[in-house]
């Protein structure tokens, strides 16, 4: 299957920024909420900003939950979640109440703990990420690449082995995860200059099924 | 560790970039698109574009006489239209760092259309003061991280800081700390704190103002207004700002942002380079 990208239009992302970044790569890109277009693409990207509950609600209202589960869990299609998009992969989230997530990666999403550090929230700006060389998502990145973050909540996966990158903000923040065909980044690669473009490059290099 | 941000602010008036002094004098400096790639390659951490156009009618011969000499032919259509949305779209296509857009944002639809055309955040000012619920509606619809509340402040002789609206023309009776605290409570993700008296003076930030506001809120504060030397950035961060912004100092010198960051590093601040 030749590489083509569907950026899933969940109505909650900075979709244009993601689309602009992907246009630098010579692959077809569609921003879409159409299940047949999602099924036809080789690589899926789930962007997202906003809150966990709203994000799940938008996916549900657009009828995207069955197609996402089918393509990701059964077809094993490559997917990259960005920011809230990654957080939605979790089992559950605790932003403004308790919400069920997509459940692609066991774990929870909770507020960044700043009571000890006294740091400001949101965590906004450029932060160094320590990458694990065991995960292909971090291939070719310098020892400590630097990425742009904007978030107040963080993903805590049950299996620490899937953590492909982490940064510090009063506590350790999971910045990158990879489990099989499922990748996620807490930062915004579309807004992280050259290091961010490398994330997309790596992701698009993953073989399509 | 999180790096403090250095942010160039680009002022747009009638589709071209201008420099500003105490919110009144505006001198042309070029076309808005040419700066994007330059500033990105110079390691700007974000870009803020503020549309300070005040009149709805404008003679484009004046605009063209400026951009005709500074803009490539390919960039013409966006700048010629004076259409801020077209300008945002063209800028965002080239912009690989976060992009904030402000100016004349009055409705949720105004926010939506800017985000849909490639802005990552919006800066709201007068409308938030006229209707503070606008902050809540914006934050609910697009997330707190999207909503930057820009606050223009004048220092009175007795040392009190008062918030002004409508391009710094109309006093509001609100103190800077009180209004910023309210903006945070209503869902602002960041405060863009601008000193009217210091604008374009090159004498440094109003440090007491930065101290007062950054101690009153827990969200990041971006300082703006008054930078004339690179040391002023360091002072702004030490006063409590999470990010330091400036316009004029970056306009006329090659590599200005990299040079500023190197000088900040030499002062012991961990900047992205």
């Amino acid at each position: 299957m030749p590489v083509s990208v569907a950026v899933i239009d969940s109505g909650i992302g900075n979709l244009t920024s993601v689309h602009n970044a992907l246009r630098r790569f010579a692959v077809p890109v569609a921003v879409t909420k159409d299940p047949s277009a999602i099924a036809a693409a080789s690589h899926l990207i789930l962007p997202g900003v906003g809150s966990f509950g709203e994000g799940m609600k938008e996916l549900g209202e657009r009828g995207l939950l069955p197609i996402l589960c089918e393509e990701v869990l059964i077809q094993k299609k490559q997917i990259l979640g960005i920011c809230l998009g990654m957080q939605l992969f979790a089992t559950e989230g605790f932003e403004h109440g308790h919400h069920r997530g997509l459940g692609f990666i066991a774990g929870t999403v909770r507020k960044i703990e700043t009571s000890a550090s006294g740091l400001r929230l949101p965590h906004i700006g450029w932060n160094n990420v320590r990458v694990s060389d065991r995960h292909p998502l971090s291939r070719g990145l310098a020892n400590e690449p630097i990425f742009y973050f904007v978030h107040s909540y963080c993903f805590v996966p049950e299996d620490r082995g899937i953590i492909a990158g982490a940064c510090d903000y009063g506590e350790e923040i999971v910045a990158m995860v990879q489990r099989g065909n499922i990748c996620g980044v807490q930062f915004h690669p579309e807004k992280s200059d050259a290091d961010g473009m490398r994330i997309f490059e790596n992701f698009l290099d993953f073989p399509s099924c | 560790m999180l790096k403090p941000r250095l942010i160039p602010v680009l002022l747009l008036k009638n589709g071209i970039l201008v420099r500003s002094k105490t919110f009144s004098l505006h001198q042309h400096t070029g076309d808005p698109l040419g700066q994007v790639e330059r500033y990105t390659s110079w390691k700007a951490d974000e870009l803020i574009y503020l549309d300070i156009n005040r009149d709805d009618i404008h003679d484009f011969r004046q605009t063209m006489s400026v951009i005709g000499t500074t803009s490539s032919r390919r960039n013409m259509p966006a700048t010629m239209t004076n259409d801020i949305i077209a300008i945002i779209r063209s800028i965002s296509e080239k912009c690989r760092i976060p992009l904030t857009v402000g100016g004349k944002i009055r409705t949720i639809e105004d926010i939506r259309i800017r985000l849909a055309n490639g802005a990552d955040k919006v800066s709201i000012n007068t409308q938030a003061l006229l209707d503070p619920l606008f902050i809540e509606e914006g934050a609910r619809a697009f997330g707190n991280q999207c909503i930057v509340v820009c606050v223009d402040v004048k220092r009175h002789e007795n040392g009190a800081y008062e918030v002004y609206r409508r391009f710094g023309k109309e006093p509001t009776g609100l103190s800077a700390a009180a209004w910023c605290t309210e903006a945070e409570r209503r869902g602002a993700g960041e405060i863009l704190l601008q000193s009217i008296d210091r604008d374009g003076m090159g004498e440094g930030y109003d440090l007491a103002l930065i101290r007062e506001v950054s101690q009153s809120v827990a969200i990041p504060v971006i300082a703006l207004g008054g930078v004339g030397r690179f040391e002023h950035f360091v002072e702004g961060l030490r006063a409590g700002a999470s990010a330091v912004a400036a316009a004029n100092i970056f306009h006329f010198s090659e590599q200005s942002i990299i040079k500023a960051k190197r000088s900040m590093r030499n002062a012991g601040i961990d900047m992205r380079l």
Side-chain angles (χ1 to χ4, degrees):
Chain A
M1 190 175 187
V3 173
S4 65
V5 183
V7 178
I8 295 163
D9 177 6
S10 52
I12 45 165
N14 52 342
L15 296 165
T16 310
S17 290
V18 175
H19 192 199
N20 282 336
L22 287 163
R23 283 204 290 208
R24 292 157 199 277
F25 302 92
V27 295
V29 181
V31 178
T32 182
K33 54 187 177 205
D34 171 13
S36 60
I38 293 170
S42 67
H43 289 64
L44 308 179
I45 292 185
L46 182 61
V49 291
S51 72
F52 194 98
E54 284 296 308
M56 285 306 293
K57 193 171 133 231
E58 289 284 344
L59 288 178
E61 281 174 1
R62 284 159 189 252
L64 291 170
L65 296 174
I67 180 81
L68 275 175
C69 290
E70 163 72 21
E71 295 301 319
V72 174
L73 299 178
I74 314 285
Q75 303 297 331
K76 302 283 180 200
K77 199 167 270 184
Q78 302 290 348
I79 186 167
L80 174 68
I82 297 175
C83 194
L84 178 64
M86 170 186 84
Q87 296 183 355
L88 295 179
F89 292 168
T91 323
E92 53 185 352
F94 293 93
E95 183 171 1
H96 306 306
H98 177 213
H99 310 274
R100 285 186 70 81
L102 290 166
F104 293 169
I105 296 179
T108 57
V109 171
R110 60 152 174 83
K111 199 159 200 175
I112 299 172
E113 181 52 55
T114 53
S115 53
S117 65
L119 291 169
R120 289 170 196 271
L121 285 182
H123 170 217
I124 301 186
W126 299 76
N127 205 333
N128 300 93
V129 170
R130 293 180 300 277
V131 294
S132 125
D133 50 14
R134 286 175 294 124
H135 293 87
L137 189 59
S138 47
R139 197 184 295 144
L141 288 163
N143 238 1
E144 289 217 349
I146 183 158
F147 297 104
Y148 185 80
F149 290 80
V150 189
H151 62 129
S152 298
Y153 286 75
C154 59
F155 182 30
V156 184
E158 276 175 22
D159 174 9
R160 292 190 51 87
I162 65 154
I163 299 174
C167 70
D168 290 320
Y169 193 65
E171 61 169 328
E172 187 191 72
I173 305 283
V174 172
M176 299 163 65
V177 293
Q178 184 163 23
R179 205 203 74 182
N181 58 314
I182 303 168
C183 306
V185 289
Q186 179 60 63
F187 50 80
H188 288 272
E190 75 281 8
K191 289 286 142 185
S192 297
D193 205 4
D195 286 338
M197 293 308 122
R198 182 72 206 200
I199 293 285
F200 286 126
E201 204 179 317
N202 287 346
F203 174 67
L204 295 175
D205 271 350
F206 297 158
S208 46
C209 46
Chain B
M1 280 303 293
L2 188 69
K3 317 283 185 215
R5 285 168 286 158
L6 182 64
I7 307 176
V9 173
L10 298 105
L11 301 176
L12 281 167
K13 192 176 182 186
N14 303 319
I16 50 176
L17 294 176
V18 295
R19 58 175 291 163
S20 157
K21 195 169 180 182
T22 58
F23 275 41
S24 47
L25 186 75
H26 296 139
Q27 177 193 347
H28 297 156
T29 62
D31 90 281
L33 299 178
Q35 297 289 37
V36 180
E37 283 167 323
R38 218 166 323 158
Y39 281 178
T40 305
S41 68
W42 295 348
K43 300 286 180 184
D45 293 313
E46 283 186 44
L47 294 176
I48 298 178
Y49 279 79
L50 298 179
D51 177 16
I52 58 167
N53 212 6
R54 283 161 217 192
D55 36 321
D56 291 327
I57 302 161
H58 173 69
D59 180 355
F60 275 95
R61 282 169 299 185
Q62 194 197 343
T63 304
M64 288 310 298
S65 71
V66 175
I67 64 170
T69 57
T70 56
S71 173
S72 72
R73 189 171 288 275
R74 197 164 56 83
N75 290 338
M76 285 289 191
T79 40
M80 268 176 75
T81 61
N82 190 26
D83 172 355
I84 185 70
I85 301 306
I87 295 173
I88 295 168
R89 193 162 57 235
S90 307
I91 291 168
S92 75
E93 279 170 10
K94 299 182 169 194
C95 189
R96 299 197 303 187
I97 56 176
L99 174 64
T100 301
V101 173
K104 298 208 292 289
I105 296 176
R106 300 187 184 101
T107 63
I108 291 294
E109 178 58 20
D110 288 341
I111 300 178
R112 195 200 60 76
I113 195 166
R114 282 160 179 76
L115 299 178
N117 282 279
D120 299 292
K121 317 181 209 180
V122 292
S123 159
I124 60 177
N125 189 337
T126 298
Q127 187 60 34
L129 285 158
L130 296 173
D131 174 19
L133 283 175
F134 186 50
I135 303 174
E136 292 178 33
E137 289 162 9
R140 201 178 312 122
F142 308 105
N144 309 49
Q145 81 294 327
C146 263
I147 308 297
V148 180
V149 173
C150 181
V151 181
D152 296 334
V153 181
K154 238 181 214 170
R155 184 180 190 277
H156 292 306
E157 270 176 23
N158 65 1
Y161 288 109
E162 184 177 0
V163 177
Y164 278 63
R165 64 190 179 202
R166 300 196 199 279
F167 298 106
K169 287 206 167 61
E170 231 178 74
T172 63
L174 289 165
S175 84
W179 171 236
C180 292
T181 309
E182 179 174 351
E184 174 183 33
R185 180 169 54 78
R186 292 189 185 272
E190 291 177 273
I191 300 285
L192 176 59
L193 182 63
Q194 176 155 233
S195 160
I196 297 169
D197 329 279
R198 299 294 179 112
D199 176 46
M201 302 305 284
E203 293 163 354
Y205 290 118
D206 188 329
L207 299 175
L209 172 65
I210 296 172
R211 241 174 254 126
E212 189 170 312
V213 169
S214 58
Q215 280 166 11
S216 328
V217 297
I219 53 177
V221 173
I222 306 168
L224 176 60
V227 169
R229 296 197 311 272
F230 296 153
E231 299 93 278
H232 294 151
F233 291 125
V234 176
E235 293 172 1
L237 293 173
R238 295 209 166 122
S242 297
V244 279
N248 299 343
I249 194 173
F250 296 126
H251 280 331
F252 299 111
S253 106
E254 277 295 307
Q255 305 283 319
S256 51
I257 296 164
I258 289 185
K259 285 178 189 158
K261 285 187 152 186
R262 283 204 194 110
S263 126
M264 294 167 81
R265 268 203 176 179
N266 290 339
I269 294 176
D270 182 23
M271 302 298 291
R272 177 180 79 102
L273 261 177

